[in-house]
Amino acid sequence: MGAGTEPDGSSRSDEEWERFLRESVAGAADAPTEPSARAREVTGRLRTEPPNGSEAWRGYTPARPERRTGWYLVGLLVSLALLVVAFVPGRVVDLFAGDDHAAPAKAGRNPTMDEPFRGSPAADWASGASGITVPEARAVGWMSAAQVEQALARSRDFIVTSGLDRGVLRGERPEQAIALINPHQKDVQDLLKTAFQTPTEKNDPLLLFSRFQPSRSQLVGDVVKTKGQLTYREGERGALQVTADVTFVYPVTRANAGGDGEIVRTIVRRELVLSWDDPDKVTTQPGTFSIVSYKYDMTNGGCGAPTGYLTPPFGDERRADEAGEEVDPYDRDAPVAQGGFGADECGRATRS
């Protein structure tokens, strides 16, 4: 039997031989006391040569865990979405509700007797006359700065009386407002003589005044929301020409409806151009103006033949407005219509 062979004649493997030598070096009990020259050679080689590869023999390096950046990002986005829902739920509802203004999700924003402007852009507007701004006065045409200031104040008084006076809103004749109109302006005086008795499309008091019929509807609360301003420039023959562009929002309910009646917001935007004429050039009465033009837009104020009153639609009556042209009554960048809608037309408010 030659060296390095097993009893059956097979050669000892290198791994077994190296294990034998390692045990010999470690001083195993069955190792020879004096290793052979070959053993000493192999032992030296094992001691001086490093293991194959950069890793230890039979070593193990665990794989690095994969970074889950995608999941962290998803978690962050979900957290942000929850914060948005918590702090601005109304905006989220509007986003998914689309343009359906009758969606049940908006039911909690409907007006109430205590909050008649809830859910309306007008909720953040000023109340009454405070919503009508007046510019600083300067001399124009035949008027000094002091005269212009007085004319602007009286122009504002006309707008306030014709659109905010409680008696006028209840259908009373607007005597104070009429007193500010030049009595020598024949076309306007003819309108005023017939409009309150036999209103027509051309001679309708709503062209200049806001009025509700007390037997049919009543205002909710004591507040009317307004937004608008007066501007001025020099007009013909050196006159002071004042332009008023004001939107009024009236919350109304049925007459004698009690505390739980349906609330409708009637919205009227008026544009009036007034001329404070030089009495030396135009026949006028001191302290009065002539009306150059009048326009108005109106939504939720009724359709059909003129009655001389704003007639807000309640209940099933509102279906008639649904067939009308869609308008945004809060869009103050759009031009005001010529005298409102015709007798057979209605403006359907996209928001109120």
Side-chain angles (χ1 to χ4, degrees), residues 111-127:
T112 65
M113 291 294 178
D114 294 331
E115 297 181 83
F117 297 100
R118 186 170 66 169
S120 168
D124 297 326
W125 288 12
S127 301

Side-chain angles (χ1 to χ4, degrees), residues 117 120-133 156 159-166 169 210 222-229 245-251 266-270 329-330 332:
F117 297 100
S120 168
D124 297 326
W125 288 12
S127 301
S130 60
I132 306 172
T133 60
R156 185 172 181 265
I159 301 301
V160 170
T161 304
S162 61
L164 294 173
D165 182 86
R166 304 301 288 193
L169 293 177
S210 295
D222 299 324
V223 175
V224 173
K225 293 289 189 174
T226 60
K227 176 179 281 190
Q229 67 281 325
D245 183 352
V246 182
T247 301
F248 303 84
V249 183
Y250 305 99
T266 298
I267 305 167
V268 180
R269 180 185 173 193
R270 297 189 181 280
Y330 292 98
R332 290 184 47 79

Side-chain angles (χ1 to χ4, degrees), residues 49-344:
E49 293 182 3
N52 292 333
S54 59
E55 296 183 352
W57 180 64
R58 294 186 179 180
Y60 172 74
T61 302
R64 294 182 180 180
E66 296 181 2
R67 294 188 178 182
R68 302 181 180 272
T69 306
W71 288 109
Y72 293 146
L73 181 59
V74 171
L76 178 60
L77 293 177
V78 171
S79 300
L80 291 176
L82 292 175
L83 288 175
V84 171
V85 172
F87 287 101
V88 286
R91 296 293 179 88
V92 177
V93 170
D94 290 345
L95 179 63
F96 289 97
D99 294 330
D100 184 6
H101 296 274
K106 293 190 177 183
R109 301 172 62 192
N110 290 338
T112 65
M113 291 294 178
D114 294 331
E115 297 181 83
F117 297 100
R118 186 170 66 169
S120 168
D124 297 326
W125 288 12
S127 301
S130 60
I132 306 172
T133 60
V134 179
E136 183 179 356
R138 56 179 175 79
V140 172
W142 70 279
M143 284 187 167
S144 66
Q147 290 173 313
V148 169
E149 183 177 8
Q150 185 179 43
L152 289 173
R154 290 186 177 178
S155 299
R156 185 172 181 265
D157 288 343
F158 179 83
I159 301 301
V160 170
T161 304
S162 61
L164 294 173
D165 182 86
R166 304 301 288 193
V168 175
L169 293 177
R170 289 193 298 266
E172 298 177 8
R173 186 177 175 86
E175 298 292 354
Q176 292 183 355
I178 291 175
L180 291 170
I181 301 174
N182 180 8
H184 302 286
Q185 189 178 6
K186 186 177 184 303
D187 57 342
V188 175
Q189 293 300 324
D190 289 344
L191 180 153
L192 296 173
K193 287 178 182 178
T194 61
F196 295 97
Q197 300 298 325
T198 55
T200 63
E201 186 174 344
K202 292 185 177 181
N203 292 334
D204 189 342
L206 295 182
L207 295 172
L208 296 172
F209 311 102
S210 295
R211 310 168 73 234
F212 295 91
Q213 193 170 15
S215 61
R216 189 181 186 281
S217 57
Q218 62 184 14
L219 288 169
V220 177
D222 299 324
V223 175
V224 173
K225 293 289 189 174
T226 60
K227 176 179 281 190
Q229 67 281 325
L230 302 184
T231 57
Y232 66 93
R233 66 179 183 86
E234 184 175 346
E236 296 182 1
R237 296 179 290 274
L240 171 68
Q241 183 170 298
V242 178
T243 300
D245 183 352
V246 182
T247 301
F248 303 84
V249 183
Y250 305 99
V252 291
T253 187
R254 292 181 188 271
N256 305 317
D260 58 352
E262 177 187 5
I263 297 175
V264 172
R265 287 184 287 258
T266 298
I267 305 167
V268 180
R269 180 185 173 193
R270 297 189 181 280
E271 181 184 279
L272 286 170
V273 180
L274 315 175
S275 181
W276 293 85
D277 298 309
D278 183 349
D280 293 335
K281 299 177 180 179
V282 177
T283 302
T284 185
Q285 182 173 317
T288 66
F289 55 77
S290 297
I291 298 180
V292 178
S293 65
Y294 43 80
K295 305 176 186 178
Y296 78 104
D297 284 332
M298 176 261 294
T299 52
N300 291 337
C303 299
T307 63
Y309 298 99
L310 296 167
T311 55
F314 299 103
D316 293 340
E317 298 171 354
R318 302 192 68 175
R319 295 179 181 175
D321 284 359
E322 293 179 357
E325 177 186 351
E326 282 193 351
V327 293
D328 182 358
Y330 292 98
D331 180 8
R332 290 184 47 79
D333 293 328
V336 182
Q338 296 283 346
F341 293 92
D344 298 328

